[in-house]
PDB file of all heavy atoms in Angstrom:
ATOM      1  N   VAL A  46       6.623  12.724   1.164  1.00  0.00           N
ATOM      2  CA  VAL A  46       7.172  11.475   0.535  1.00  0.00           C
ATOM      3  C   VAL A  46       5.981  10.527   0.276  1.00  0.00           C
ATOM      4  O   VAL A  46       5.156  10.364   1.188  1.00  0.00           O
ATOM      5  CB  VAL A  46       8.228  10.749   1.538  1.00  0.00           C
ATOM      6  CG1 VAL A  46       8.814   9.516   0.833  1.00  0.00           C
ATOM      7  CG2 VAL A  46       9.296  11.653   1.819  1.00  0.00           C
ATOM      8  N   VAL A  47       5.975  10.011  -0.870  1.00  0.00           N
ATOM      9  CA  VAL A  47       5.022   8.945  -1.149  1.00  0.00           C
ATOM     10  C   VAL A  47       5.825   7.663  -1.112  1.00  0.00           C
ATOM     11  O   VAL A  47       6.910   7.453  -1.827  1.00  0.00           O
ATOM     12  CB  VAL A  47       4.384   9.019  -2.549  1.00  0.00           C
ATOM     13  CG1 VAL A  47       3.436   7.769  -2.849  1.00  0.00           C
ATOM     14  CG2 VAL A  47       3.534  10.285  -2.615  1.00  0.00           C
ATOM     15  N   ALA A  48       5.577   6.873  -0.099  1.00  0.00           N
ATOM     16  CA  ALA A  48       6.304   5.572   0.136  1.00  0.00           C
ATOM     17  C   ALA A  48       5.405   4.395   0.201  1.00  0.00           C
ATOM     18  O   ALA A  48       4.254   4.520   0.604  1.00  0.00           O
ATOM     19  CB  ALA A  48       7.020   5.760   1.476  1.00  0.00           C
ATOM     20  N   LYS A  57       6.932   4.219   6.517  1.00  0.00           N
ATOM     21  CA  LYS A  57       7.569   5.347   7.319  1.00  0.00           C
ATOM     22  C   LYS A  57       9.193   5.179   7.234  1.00  0.00           C
ATOM     23  O   LYS A  57       9.840   6.055   7.090  1.00  0.00           O
ATOM     24  CB  LYS A  57       7.064   5.197   8.764  1.00  0.00           C
ATOM     25  CG  LYS A  57       7.531   6.384   9.674  1.00  0.00           C
ATOM     26  CD  LYS A  57       6.740   6.401  10.880  1.00  0.00           C
ATOM     27  CE  LYS A  57       7.453   5.672  11.888  1.00  0.00           C
ATOM     28  NZ  LYS A  57       6.983   5.809  13.298  1.00  0.00           N
ATOM     29  N   ALA A  58       9.574   3.862   7.349  1.00  0.00           N
ATOM     30  CA  ALA A  58      11.046   3.652   7.297  1.00  0.00           C
ATOM     31  C   ALA A  58      11.557   3.995   5.852  1.00  0.00           C
ATOM     32  O   ALA A  58      12.596   4.599   5.709  1.00  0.00           O
ATOM     33  CB  ALA A  58      11.340   2.183   7.543  1.00  0.00           C
ATOM     34  N   LYS A  59      10.786   3.668   4.859  1.00  0.00           N
ATOM     35  CA  LYS A  59      11.201   4.089   3.472  1.00  0.00           C
ATOM     36  C   LYS A  59      11.248   5.551   3.254  1.00  0.00           C
ATOM     37  O   LYS A  59      12.110   6.059   2.572  1.00  0.00           O
ATOM     38  CB  LYS A  59      10.370   3.230   2.461  1.00  0.00           C
ATOM     39  CG  LYS A  59      10.619   1.842   2.457  1.00  0.00           C
ATOM     40  CD  LYS A  59       9.753   1.129   1.382  1.00  0.00           C
ATOM     41  CE  LYS A  59      10.092  -0.350   1.303  1.00  0.00           C
ATOM     42  NZ  LYS A  59       9.258  -1.069   0.359  1.00  0.00           N
ATOM     43  N   ALA A  60      10.276   6.227   3.876  1.00  0.00           N
ATOM     44  CA  ALA A  60      10.121   7.695   3.794  1.00  0.00           C
ATOM     45  C   ALA A  60      11.445   8.251   4.470  1.00  0.00           C
ATOM     46  O   ALA A  60      11.958   9.203   3.872  1.00  0.00           O
ATOM     47  CB  ALA A  60       8.944   8.179   4.354  1.00  0.00           C
ATOM     48  N   ALA A  61      11.834   7.771   5.540  1.00  0.00           N
ATOM     49  CA  ALA A  61      13.083   8.253   6.317  1.00  0.00           C
ATOM     50  C   ALA A  61      14.307   8.121   5.338  1.00  0.00           C
ATOM     51  O   ALA A  61      15.167   8.953   5.216  1.00  0.00           O
ATOM     52  CB  ALA A  61      13.134   7.572   7.561  1.00  0.00           C
ATOM     53  N   GLU A  62      14.373   6.923   4.654  1.00  0.00           N
ATOM     54  CA  GLU A  62      15.478   6.699   3.846  1.00  0.00           C
ATOM     55  C   GLU A  62      15.515   7.702   2.626  1.00  0.00           C
ATOM     56  O   GLU A  62      16.495   8.260   2.285  1.00  0.00           O
ATOM     57  CB  GLU A  62      15.350   5.267   3.197  1.00  0.00           C
ATOM     58  CG  GLU A  62      16.434   4.873   2.226  1.00  0.00           C
ATOM     59  CD  GLU A  62      16.185   3.422   1.684  1.00  0.00           C
ATOM     60  OE1 GLU A  62      15.349   2.790   2.180  1.00  0.00           O
ATOM     61  OE2 GLU A  62      16.973   3.068   0.752  1.00  0.00           O
ATOM     62  N   ALA A  63      14.306   7.976   2.063  1.00  0.00           N
ATOM     63  CA  ALA A  63      14.169   8.823   0.946  1.00  0.00           C
ATOM     64  C   ALA A  63      14.623  10.255   1.432  1.00  0.00           C
ATOM     65  O   ALA A  63      15.265  11.033   0.703  1.00  0.00           O
ATOM     66  CB  ALA A  63      12.782   8.960   0.380  1.00  0.00           C
ATOM     67  N   ALA A  64      14.134  10.748   2.562  1.00  0.00           N
ATOM     68  CA  ALA A  64      14.404  12.039   3.154  1.00  0.00           C
ATOM     69  C   ALA A  64      15.907  12.215   3.367  1.00  0.00           C
ATOM     70  O   ALA A  64      16.404  13.271   3.101  1.00  0.00           O
ATOM     71  CB  ALA A  64      13.522  12.299   4.367  1.00  0.00           C
ATOM     72  N   LEU A  65      16.536  11.101   3.903  1.00  0.00           N
ATOM     73  CA  LEU A  65      18.025  11.324   4.269  1.00  0.00           C
ATOM     74  C   LEU A  65      18.777  11.333   2.853  1.00  0.00           C
ATOM     75  O   LEU A  65      19.916  11.996   2.877  1.00  0.00           O
ATOM     76  CB  LEU A  65      18.497  10.273   5.085  1.00  0.00           C
ATOM     77  CG  LEU A  65      17.957  10.242   6.544  1.00  0.00           C
ATOM     78  CD1 LEU A  65      18.362   9.062   7.378  1.00  0.00           C
ATOM     79  CD2 LEU A  65      18.636  11.586   7.236  1.00  0.00           C
ATOM     80  N   LYS A  66      18.401  10.641   1.914  1.00  0.00           N
ATOM     81  CA  LYS A  66      18.985  10.761   0.581  1.00  0.00           C
ATOM     82  C   LYS A  66      18.851  12.202  -0.005  1.00  0.00           C
ATOM     83  O   LYS A  66      19.807  12.709  -0.681  1.00  0.00           O
ATOM     84  CB  LYS A  66      18.454   9.730  -0.349  1.00  0.00           C
ATOM     85  CG  LYS A  66      18.936   8.334  -0.200  1.00  0.00           C
ATOM     86  CD  LYS A  66      18.426   7.404  -1.208  1.00  0.00           C
ATOM     87  CE  LYS A  66      18.893   5.892  -0.828  1.00  0.00           C
ATOM     88  NZ  LYS A  66      18.241   4.965  -1.807  1.00  0.00           N
ATOM     89  N   HIS A  67      17.633  12.748   0.173  1.00  0.00           N
ATOM     90  CA  HIS A  67      17.424  14.091  -0.418  1.00  0.00           C
ATOM     91  C   HIS A  67      18.119  15.209   0.339  1.00  0.00           C
ATOM     92  O   HIS A  67      18.507  16.257  -0.094  1.00  0.00           O
ATOM     93  CB  HIS A  67      15.929  14.326  -0.567  1.00  0.00           C
ATOM     94  CG  HIS A  67      15.601  15.495  -1.298  1.00  0.00           C
ATOM     95  ND1 HIS A  67      15.665  15.590  -2.600  1.00  0.00           N
ATOM     96  CD2 HIS A  67      15.200  16.762  -0.845  1.00  0.00           C
ATOM     97  CE1 HIS A  67      15.282  16.775  -3.019  1.00  0.00           C
ATOM     98  NE2 HIS A  67      15.048  17.486  -1.956  1.00  0.00           N
ATOM     99  N   PHE A  68      18.175  15.064   1.743  1.00  0.00           N
ATOM    100  CA  PHE A  68      18.847  15.938   2.567  1.00  0.00           C
ATOM    101  C   PHE A  68      20.007  15.270   3.377  1.00  0.00           C
ATOM    102  O   PHE A  68      19.931  14.941   4.604  1.00  0.00           O
ATOM    103  CB  PHE A  68      17.795  16.481   3.700  1.00  0.00           C
ATOM    104  CG  PHE A  68      16.578  17.102   3.189  1.00  0.00           C
ATOM    105  CD1 PHE A  68      15.424  16.486   3.126  1.00  0.00           C
ATOM    106  CD2 PHE A  68      16.634  18.391   2.668  1.00  0.00           C
ATOM    107  CE1 PHE A  68      14.224  17.051   2.598  1.00  0.00           C
ATOM    108  CE2 PHE A  68      15.537  19.030   2.151  1.00  0.00           C
ATOM    109  CZ  PHE A  68      14.342  18.362   2.088  1.00  0.00           C
ATOM    110  N   GLU A  80      18.286   6.188   9.502  1.00  0.00           N
ATOM    111  CA  GLU A  80      16.788   5.757   9.183  1.00  0.00           C
ATOM    112  C   GLU A  80      16.038   5.385  10.481  1.00  0.00           C
ATOM    113  O   GLU A  80      14.879   5.650  10.621  1.00  0.00           O
ATOM    114  CB  GLU A  80      16.805   4.641   8.240  1.00  0.00           C
ATOM    115  CG  GLU A  80      17.464   5.045   6.771  1.00  0.00           C
ATOM    116  CD  GLU A  80      17.597   3.901   5.856  1.00  0.00           C
ATOM    117  OE1 GLU A  80      17.010   2.851   6.114  1.00  0.00           O
ATOM    118  OE2 GLU A  80      18.434   4.136   5.047  1.00  0.00           O
ATOM    119  N   PHE A  83      15.585   8.839  12.482  1.00  0.00           N
ATOM    120  CA  PHE A  83      15.133  10.091  11.756  1.00  0.00           C
ATOM    121  C   PHE A  83      13.788  10.653  12.196  1.00  0.00           C
ATOM    122  O   PHE A  83      13.699  11.830  12.494  1.00  0.00           O
ATOM    123  CB  PHE A  83      14.957   9.679  10.245  1.00  0.00           C
ATOM    124  CG  PHE A  83      14.524  10.812   9.401  1.00  0.00           C
ATOM    125  CD1 PHE A  83      15.418  11.750   9.047  1.00  0.00           C
ATOM    126  CD2 PHE A  83      13.188  10.920   8.873  1.00  0.00           C
ATOM    127  CE1 PHE A  83      15.010  12.856   8.220  1.00  0.00           C
ATOM    128  CE2 PHE A  83      12.905  11.957   8.211  1.00  0.00           C
ATOM    129  CZ  PHE A  83      13.685  12.890   7.857  1.00  0.00           C
ATOM    130  N   ILE A 113       9.760  15.042  -2.411  1.00  0.00           N
ATOM    131  CA  ILE A 113      11.060  14.556  -2.538  1.00  0.00           C
ATOM    132  C   ILE A 113      11.047  13.136  -3.057  1.00  0.00           C
ATOM    133  O   ILE A 113      12.091  12.695  -3.577  1.00  0.00           O
ATOM    134  CB  ILE A 113      11.935  14.651  -1.175  1.00  0.00           C
ATOM    135  CG1 ILE A 113      11.332  13.820  -0.127  1.00  0.00           C
ATOM    136  CG2 ILE A 113      12.025  16.080  -0.854  1.00  0.00           C
ATOM    137  CD1 ILE A 113      12.126  13.752   1.055  1.00  0.00           C
ATOM    138  N   ALA A 114      10.063  12.388  -2.910  1.00  0.00           N
ATOM    139  CA  ALA A 114      10.040  10.942  -3.484  1.00  0.00           C
ATOM    140  C   ALA A 114       8.637  10.516  -3.750  1.00  0.00           C
ATOM    141  O   ALA A 114       7.734  11.021  -3.155  1.00  0.00           O
ATOM    142  CB  ALA A 114      10.713  10.118  -2.512  1.00  0.00           C
TER     143      ALA A 114
END
Side-chain angles (χ1 to χ4, degrees):
V46 179
V47 176
K57 188 170 93 168
K59 289 181 179 181
E62 178 183 355
L65 287 172
K66 282 182 183 174
H67 192 78
F68 301 104
E80 293 168 23
F83 181 76
I113 62 171

